[in-house]
Amino acid sequence: MTELRLEGVSKRYGTGRDDGAAALQDVDLTVRDGEFFTLVGPSGCGKTTTLRTIAGFEAPSKGVVSFDGESMIGVAPERRDVGVVFQSYGLFPHMTVAENVGYGLQFREPPDGTGVDERVDELLELVDLEGMGGRNPDQLSGGQQQRVALARALAPEPDLLLLDEPMSALDARLRESLRRQLKRIQSTLEITTVYVTHDQDEALALSDRLAVMNDGEIEQIATPRTIYHEPETRFVAEFVGDNNVFDGTVRARDAERTRVDVAGTTFDLPPGVGFDGSAQEQERERISFCVRPADLSRAVDQNRFAVNLETSEFRGESVRAYGQWNDVPIVLQLGEVLESEKDATVTVGFAPEDAHVLNGG
Ligand code: ADP
Ligand code: MG
């Protein structure tokens, strides 16, 4: 039963004078009770700093972190009731699996008068490691060790679960099965969770909502579907999944459509898009929009243009083809690339409603 809130949180590391950009800049976010919330963004964008600030390992330079409306500023990490899992599992090598899982229970009694051994067994069962309590960590695989770390974080029933790139040391297949397990465990326990990753697929697959971060700031917070289909900024459009971004100028608007010129070609977008009301005359308004690879099709006869193909990759279910159109890099998702199209052109089109207009050009 915990809602997490960050309000105006900024963090500037370091000592000296003017040592450059802030690691976090005015971060506002609310994680709802029981929600699986992900911070995603490229390396260095401030994800770990945000997580450490929530856990209390770092103090914000500005702003407030609160749990259920109660400010955590000045509250030590061990008094915040958070469970943390890091990329490096951080298991105690000289302790058995069971001792590792039970570690936090020395400081905090198991819930509901459960005995420590019973609680440890419960947790091992939850993470599918029944009967492995007597082993040493070095007798487990990476995925199993990370599940022990998860069980250890969960044993004292924290109010909040924080995970910082917990799967990045694991291979792809293991990551996928572990993320399904994590999702199941999180929704069974209904524990408020903040998950950090640089992997956008993982973020889309796991989250109820996610925050896309760039350079210490939040670009957008929304559900995976909204982030994917309605990115607000160019950064979000390009960071989450493959995308095609076009920069153009509005030529005309009427009730049916908005006509946009891109490199001398006119495209029809839905009516009313990109109009922010501030410019009194929109004739020359600049506009950026994106179209997902899957929405660019040979079969659509609107908004057609010819792409010079450069390379293509077989992806099993489809072929990804990469090329250029008027210096705009283009990614296509095709059923197949025909022999005649290789190192040549393929003409595709898109429906106006599949174009999504971005803010801020
Ligand atoms: P991420 O987890 O998204 O990769 P971090 O939160 O680790 O990003 O880092 C954000 C920024 O803060 C980076 O520019 C990083 O170099 C800087 N930074 C992180 N930790 C420290 C630190 N302890 N001292 C100084 N700068 C730091
Ligand atoms: Mg990090």
Side-chain angles (χ1 to χ4, degrees), residues 308-319:
N308 290 315
L309 288 192
E310 285 159 356
T311 54
S312 61
E313 292 171 353
F314 178 63
R315 295 276 183 102
E317 288 160 10
S318 65
V319 173

Side-chain angles (χ1 to χ4, degrees), residues 13-14 22-24 41-50 58 164-165 196:
Y13 282 107
L24 293 181
S43 174
C45 72
K47 305 179 298 291
T48 294
T49 301
T50 307
E58 300 286 348
D164 192 352
E165 313 238 11
V196 161

Side-chain angles (χ1 to χ4, degrees), residues 96-99 120-121 124 129-136:
T96 64
V97 165
E99 286 164 348
V120 167
D121 287 345
L124 287 176
L129 291 174
E130 287 156 286
M132 299 216 187
R135 293 205 192 174
N136 283 322

